[in-house]
């Protein structure tokens, strides 16, 4: 057991995002202003996927800009956690985690909130909402 | 490029006692595998000139292969660690073949031991999957959830149910009950599976693999040299890998995975097809993984896994015995190394408990699957 692992050798989860990741800094900064953004390639015009990276996954161009997204998407798949892997989720189960396909193309792992877990369905339209924490903002989704 | 099918063989295998091994560290489990595998092959440590390992899950550091080789006083001419999650053991065998084919080694040992059942204090840090920081802030922590996403899609696309998945768990448990070195040896019913609690819905406790201590090893050499070893050599007939994505956010599909392409490559190398397989040892970290892989490997059409796994078809004595050792679900989770050793022992024909021996086994396929459903390796073994 060390500072980063539990007694079985599993990495201890960090629920705070890693805000220092070089390519992802604009993503986190834009979220503070309640803007959901993704990288779009200036060479081929396509959106990058997440996580952010230094060149276009489609054509490898390094010429890209951060574009504001509509915040609209659909649920591609979802699960309900019945077990709390992290102490901060004790008493909060079952909770939803979803793969959300954004209308512009990229997919995010996030939560569908403001909706009972049993009502979340594949294909359900959702809209981004911003959860402000002390020093970071998370994009989450509610039924559209 | 010449086809290497049948030119290399497995001449030694070993598996430790599995389950809870508070007596042994990860290192000790590796050493136990090394000794048992040398004994099985009838050779000495100094006869091994290639050595391949996986990094310990709880203590990532520079070459683990060199460290372990040194502990056993092997001084290999080729050593490396591989990191393909549950596809690693098969990739090790493939890498061993490549090292020998390249002329860098003659006799390569591949070892993988894992310590997840009991504590293994370590001064180091665990290996990360890689994208946790894009998952954990939203409460997404576990492999079971990654596979629950896939199960949810399989249910949506093909009408698969939790009860369909139960058939995989029950058949696998039946085989574990026949294996003296299996952790779970109490028979399971469909009702038991359905009564087990949700861990990450739609997957239940009995859809999930065990957390185990234990290890396994194999020794690979050329077909010519293989004939000089004491045990019946088992030929490496086909090999494949395919890795279609890394993050779940990039996955082109959650219901057709790397196994499709990987198995096609392996079948092509072997000149065989699914109908030629007498058994399959399918990486079963979760029941849904078995079902998707059986489809991807061409044993049934996509979406028909739910029917294929029923009526005893995947049990010993059925059309395609699957996970004849009890798999990760019920024997032990050694990241698939024991799927490889089991396939070899089935093909030797006189080593496993008679009630789970596949009659007249001539060829079998083994799958390995790792990461966020993103890494896949396939191995076809058969008579030399």
């Amino acid at each position: 057991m060390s500072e980063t692992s539990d007694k079985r050798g599993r990495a201890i989860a960090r629920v705070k995002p890693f805000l220092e990741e070089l390519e992802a800094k604009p993503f986190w900064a834009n979220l503070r202003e309640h803007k959901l953004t993704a990288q779009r390639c200036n060479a081929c015009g396509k959106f990058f996927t997440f996580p952010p990276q230094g060149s276009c996954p489609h054509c490898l161009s390094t010429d890209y800009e951060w574009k504001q997204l509509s915040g609209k998407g659909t649920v591609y798949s979802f699960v309900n956690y019945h077990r709390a892997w992290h102490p901060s989720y004790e008493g909060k189960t079952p909770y939803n985690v979803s793969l959300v396909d954004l209308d512009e193309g990229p997919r995010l792992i996030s939560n569908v909130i403001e909706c009972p877990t049993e009502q979340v369905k594949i294909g359900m339209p959702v809209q981004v909402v911003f959860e402000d924490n002390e020093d970071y903002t998370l994009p989450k989704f509610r039924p559209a | 490029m010449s086809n290497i099918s049948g030119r290399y063989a497995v001449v030694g295998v070993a598996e430790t006692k599995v389950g809870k091994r508070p007596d042994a560290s990860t290192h000790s489990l590796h050493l136990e595998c090394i000794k048992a595998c040398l004994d099985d092959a009838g050779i000495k440590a100094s006869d091994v000139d290639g050595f391949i390992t996986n990094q310990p899950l709880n203590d990532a550091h520079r070459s683990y292969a060199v460290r372990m080789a040194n502990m056993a006083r092997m001084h290999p001419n080729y050593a490396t660690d591989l990191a393909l999650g549950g596809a690693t053991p098969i990739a090790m065998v493939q890498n061993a073949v490549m090292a020998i084919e390249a002329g860098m080694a003659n006799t390569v040992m591949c070892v993988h031991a894992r310590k997840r059942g009991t504590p293994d204090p370590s001064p180091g840090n665990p290996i990360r999957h890689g994208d946790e920081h894009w998952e954990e802030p939203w409460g997404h922590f576990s492999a079971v959830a990654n596979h629950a996403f896939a199960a949810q899609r399989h249910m949506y696309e093909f009408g698969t149910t939790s009860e369909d998945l139960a058939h995989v768990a029950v058949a696998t448990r039946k085989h574990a009950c026949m294996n003296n070195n299996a952790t779970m040896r109490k028979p399971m019913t469909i009702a038991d599976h359905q009564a087990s609690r949700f861990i990450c819905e739609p997957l239940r406790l009995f859809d999930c693999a065990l957390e185990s201590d234990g290890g396994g090893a194999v020794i690979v050499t050329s077909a010519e040299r293989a004939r000089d070893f004491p045990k019946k050599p088992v030929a490496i007939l086909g090999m494949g890998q395919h890795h279609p994505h890394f993050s779940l956010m990039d996955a082109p599909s959650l219901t057709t995975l790397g196994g499709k392409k990987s198995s096609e490559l392996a079948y092509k190398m072997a000149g065989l097809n699914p109908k030629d397989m007498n058994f399959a040892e399918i990486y079963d970290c979760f029941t849904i993984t078995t079902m998707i892989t059986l489809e991807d490997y061409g044993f049934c059409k996509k979406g028909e896994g739910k029917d294929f796994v029923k009526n005893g078809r995947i049990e010993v004595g059925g059309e395609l015995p699957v996970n004849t050792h009890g798999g990760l679900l019920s024997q032990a989770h050694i990241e698939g190394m024991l799927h490889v050793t089991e396939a070899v022992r089935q093909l030797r024909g006189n080593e496993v408990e008679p009630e789970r021996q596949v009659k007249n086994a001539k060829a079998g396929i083994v799958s390995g699957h790792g990461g966020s459903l993103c890494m896949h390796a396939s191995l076809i073994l058969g008579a030399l």
Side-chain angles (χ1 to χ4, degrees):
Chain A
M1 193 155 150
S2 70
E3 286 169 12
T4 56
S5 60
D6 68 11
K7 65 185 166 115
R8 298 275 171 90
R10 296 181 198 87
I12 291 173
R14 280 176 286 212
V15 292
K16 186 183 163 179
F18 181 63
L19 303 170
E20 292 76 33
E21 187 176 10
L22 288 179
E23 293 82 4
K25 278 185 172 179
F27 178 79
W28 296 113
N30 293 335
L31 282 168
R32 292 304 273 167
E33 297 170 20
H34 288 195
K35 288 177 184 163
L36 179 65
T37 55
Q39 295 158 288
R40 194 178 71 178
C41 179
N42 286 327
C44 74
K46 291 180 184 163
F47 275 95
F48 288 26
T49 48
F50 287 110
Q53 59 182 53
S55 65
C56 173
H58 312 290
C59 75
L60 291 178
S61 169
T62 54
D63 181 12
Y64 65 84
E65 58 195 304
W66 285 89
K67 286 284 195 189
Q68 185 165 358
L69 305 177
S70 63
K72 292 181 167 57
T74 54
V75 173
Y76 179 74
S77 192
F78 67 95
V79 299
N80 295 321
Y81 272 72
H82 286 253
R83 182 179 148 185
W85 259 265
H86 188 273
S88 63
Y89 284 86
E90 296 287 355
K92 294 181 182 169
T93 59
Y95 68 90
N96 166 283
V97 178
S98 291
L99 295 173
V100 175
D101 282 350
L102 300 167
D103 280 7
E104 292 83 359
R107 177 182 297 165
L108 273 174
I109 291 175
S110 184
N111 310 112
V112 174
I113 58 172
E114 301 176 27
C115 175
T117 52
E118 64 274 13
Q119 287 178 20
V120 177
K121 301 279 181 254
I122 287 177
M124 175 174 158
V126 291
Q127 172 70 45
V128 73
V129 287
F130 299 96
E131 182 197 274
D132 288 316
N133 296 283
E134 192 181 338
D135 55 353
Y136 63 93
T137 297
L138 284 183
K140 296 196 170 183
F141 293 84
R142 61 168 171 73
Chain B
M1 196 173 65
S2 66
N3 189 342
I4 57 90
S5 182
R7 286 181 26 201
Y8 298 92
V10 176
V11 293
V13 293
E15 80 183 49
T16 68
K17 187 175 175 313
V18 299
K20 293 199 185 304
R21 294 290 309 274
D23 57 305
S25 67
T26 305
H27 299 335
S28 296
L29 289 169
H30 276 80
L31 291 169
E32 202 175 311
C33 292
I34 292 170
K35 173 74 165 79
C37 202
L38 291 171
D39 290 349
D40 186 70
I43 59 174
K44 304 187 298 293
S46 56
D47 296 325
V48 173
D49 60 2
F51 194 71
I52 305 175
T53 58
N54 191 355
Q55 293 261 316
L57 296 167
N58 64 340
D59 188 11
H61 61 69
R62 286 182 183 151
S63 184
Y64 193 64
V66 172
R67 177 185 197 149
M68 292 314 306
N70 182 66
M71 280 192 189
R73 291 301 183 266
M74 292 190 259
H75 305 290
N77 299 326
Y78 176 77
T80 196
D81 297 338
L82 295 179
L84 290 169
T88 305
I90 288 177
M92 286 176 176
V93 174
Q94 297 173 343
N95 215 258
V97 167
M98 291 188 274
I100 305 169
E101 174 78 8
M104 293 189 71
N106 290 310
T107 309
V108 182
M109 184 185 281
C110 310
V111 188
H112 183 45
R114 176 179 157 111
K115 182 92 175 157
R116 277 289 171 91
T118 57
D120 187 22
S122 140
N125 294 316
I127 292 182
R128 297 179 75 246
H129 290 279
D131 278 338
E132 285 93 334
H133 55 299
W134 287 88
E135 301 173 346
E136 291 172 352
W138 291 273
H140 181 55
F141 302 115
S142 70
V144 55
N146 288 339
H147 292 79
F149 280 131
Q152 192 78 264
R153 282 300 303 189
H154 209 275
M155 290 171 173
Y156 173 77
E157 292 174 28
F158 309 115
T160 305
T161 65
S162 172
E163 197 172 318
D164 295 330
L165 295 174
H167 287 265
V168 173
V170 168
T172 310
R173 177 63 61 87
K174 202 173 267 191
H175 296 153
C177 290
M178 303 172 190
N179 182 352
N180 289 325
N181 192 28
T183 308
M184 304 298 280
R185 302 198 61 201
K186 185 177 157 220
M188 184 198 292
T189 64
I190 301 291
D192 292 336
H193 174 281
Q194 289 295 287
S196 71
R197 67 183 186 275
F198 281 123
I199 300 296
C200 197
E201 196 178 346
L203 295 183
R204 300 174 182 277
L205 178 66
F206 288 170
D207 289 306
C208 302
L210 305 168
E211 291 278 39
S212 312
D213 301 336
V218 303
I219 294 174
V220 178
T221 192
S222 65
E224 301 95 75
R225 298 181 75 246
R227 297 178 206 283
D228 300 330
F229 284 76
K231 300 240 172 121
K232 181 181 170 186
V234 168
I236 295 161
L237 300 178
M239 316 196 295
Q241 288 188 18
H242 190 61
H243 314 291
H245 64 270
F246 184 73
S247 165
L248 274 191
M249 292 182 276
D250 269 345
S253 168
L254 293 182
T255 52
T256 296
L257 303 173
K260 184 171 191 300
K261 180 84 183 285
S262 174
S263 64
E264 284 168 3
L265 292 166
Y267 290 131
K268 189 177 173 209
M269 184 186 286
L272 297 172
N273 64 55
K275 290 217 173 339
D276 298 314
M277 298 300 118
N278 302 124
F279 63 88
E281 310 298 354
I282 301 295
Y283 195 87
D284 57 333
C285 47
F286 301 96
T287 51
I288 185 65
T289 320
T290 308
M291 193 178 284
I292 289 174
T293 308
L294 287 169
E295 294 169 351
D296 286 347
Y297 274 30
F299 293 114
C300 61
K301 290 196 181 121
K302 183 52 64 184
E304 292 181 359
K306 60 184 183 296
D307 303 312
F308 186 82
V309 299
K310 290 176 185 165
N311 302 316
R313 193 179 279 113
I314 63 169
E315 294 172 18
V316 171
E319 189 182 311
L320 182 79
V322 172
N323 295 345
T324 48
H325 53 330
L328 308 179
L329 291 171
S330 283
Q331 188 209 10
H333 191 334
I334 313 297
E335 281 189 311
M337 185 47 112
L338 303 189
H339 286 61
V340 179
T341 56
E342 170 69 7
V344 171
R345 296 173 77 212
Q346 283 285 346
L347 289 161
R348 283 177 172 179
N350 57 356
E351 294 204 358
V352 305
E353 291 78 357
E355 57 270 37
R356 64 186 185 87
Q357 173 68 50
V358 178
K359 300 275 181 297
N360 302 314
K362 296 280 185 295
I365 194 162
V366 192
S367 79
H369 155 109
S372 301
L373 300 89
C374 61
M375 302 184 257
H376 199 98
S378 312
L379 188 68
I380 297 175
L381 298 173
L384 184 67

